[in-house]
Amino acid sequence: LAPNLTEILFELGLGDQLVGVTNYCTYPPEALEKEKVGGFINPNLEKIVSLKPDLVVAEHWPSSKTVPRLREFGLQVTEVISPRSFEEIYQVIRGVGETVNRSQGAEELIHRMKKRLETIEAKASRFDHSPSVYVEIDLPSWTIGKQSFITEALLLCGAHNLFEDIDKRSFQASKEMIVDRNPDVILAYTVAAPAISQRLGWDDIKAVQNGRIIDDLERSLLSHGNHRLIEGMEQLQARILDMMETP
């Protein structure tokens, strides 16, 4: 009942055993062929029950009543945390692996992730300073704080989150806060670069002045909190390095 969990299950070789996924589970392409059960906070419970799953894997959402309801229907449900750090991402992968008897595959996946992270950290030394990155995850001006794993990902890449000091997972930043902090790079999930450049007062921002706006990186690579985050980091690091090294 979450895109990151669907992707982990496919990576562990269990795609054929999946009988249903949420509407937001779009990767790998095979996930699109699975029965859809609605969103992950308020899915169609009757639809889930009708699929007769032996196991439901869900992410823990305190405000959601989905898991208790599914258990009332007699279904076996495994809940995992919504990760906020790399260690918690590893914890989720291990937890899913243990639940579906793929512990060895989960450990091998984590090992591959860590090896690729070593390469990312080595390339981070190419930055002559740590560029600040404003990450706009949604309109209007929703961004990430200290408690997001993307903040840790940026640090490992050699950059840093513009709002790494804000002790929240996400929040809505004011235009004044963004302009005042003056990011070197802007990473936008939902808005094209020209629209950002035309925002009132944003022409004072270094990222806008220097054309350092990334608007075409696949959102799911950086937002789903699983093994695919590494691929997103590799792409993002390469783009930022190219931007910062170009006069």
Side-chain angles (χ1 to χ4, degrees):
L1 290 179
N4 64 320
L5 303 179
T6 294
E7 291 165 6
I8 291 170
L9 288 166
F10 268 100
E11 189 69 18
L12 295 178
L14 292 165
D16 291 343
Q17 297 180 44
L18 276 173
V19 295
V21 298
T22 74
N23 295 347
Y24 302 99
C25 297
T26 59
Y27 186 90
E30 291 83 359
L32 296 170
E33 302 169 7
K34 301 294 181 179
E35 289 284 341
K36 299 296 185 292
V37 299
F40 46 86
I41 296 179
N42 293 299
N44 185 330
L45 301 182
E46 290 74 19
K47 175 79 172 190
I48 296 173
V49 173
S50 73
L51 293 172
K52 299 179 180 178
D54 296 313
L55 174 70
V56 177
V57 185
E59 200 169 66
H60 178 67
W61 287 84
S63 61
S64 175
K65 302 291 189 282
T66 297
V67 170
R69 290 288 309 281
L70 288 173
R71 286 174 174 154
E72 287 174 8
F73 280 114
L75 294 178
Q76 181 182 345
V77 184
T78 291
E79 252 187 318
V80 298
I81 60 171
S82 179
R84 300 183 179 216
S85 65
F86 271 85
E87 280 305 316
E88 290 189 349
I89 289 173
Y90 299 148
Q91 182 180 332
V92 168
I93 293 173
R94 285 193 179 101
V96 172
E98 290 171 4
T99 300
V100 296
N101 297 315
R102 291 291 190 280
S103 290
Q104 182 176 342
E107 291 302 328
E108 290 172 354
L109 177 56
I110 292 169
H111 177 72
R112 293 195 299 272
M113 290 174 65
K114 290 181 176 181
K115 292 298 290 183
R116 290 169 71 179
L117 271 178
E118 289 176 5
T119 301
I120 290 171
E121 290 184 84
K123 289 182 179 179
S125 62
R126 287 172 53 185
F127 288 108
D128 57 14
H129 75 283
S130 172
S132 59
V133 182
Y134 165 60
V135 183
E136 186 167 286
I137 58 176
D138 209 347
L139 290 172
S141 304
W142 277 91
T143 187
I144 56 169
K146 180 180 181 179
Q147 293 186 39
S148 169
F149 56 75
I150 303 172
T151 295
E152 185 177 358
L154 285 169
L155 285 172
L156 292 169
C157 285
H160 67 275
N161 174 14
L162 186 69
F163 293 106
E164 63 184 358
D165 59 317
I166 304 296
D167 195 22
K168 295 182 179 180
R169 193 169 196 167
S170 62
F171 69 100
Q172 189 175 359
S174 68
K175 183 194 84 171
E176 291 75 20
M177 290 175 69
I178 299 164
V179 173
D180 183 60
R181 295 196 179 206
N182 200 8
D184 294 301
V185 177
I186 294 173
L187 171 63
Y189 283 178
T190 60
V191 184
I196 291 176
S197 298
Q198 292 167 12
R199 289 176 177 172
L200 188 64
W202 284 48
D203 51 351
D204 291 328
I205 295 176
K206 288 180 290 186
V208 174
Q209 293 173 348
N210 296 309
R212 295 172 180 158
I213 303 173
I214 301 171
D215 62 358
D216 57 354
L217 195 66
E218 185 182 339
R219 177 176 186 157
S220 64
L221 290 177
L222 289 173
S223 63
H224 284 183
N226 60 22
H227 54 286
R228 297 183 70 221
L229 176 60
I230 306 298
E231 182 181 348
M233 291 171 65
E234 290 167 342
Q235 293 184 19
L236 180 61
Q237 184 186 53
R239 294 286 293 278
I240 297 177
L241 275 170
D242 182 61
M243 286 177 164
M244 299 306 293
E245 291 175 348
T246 301

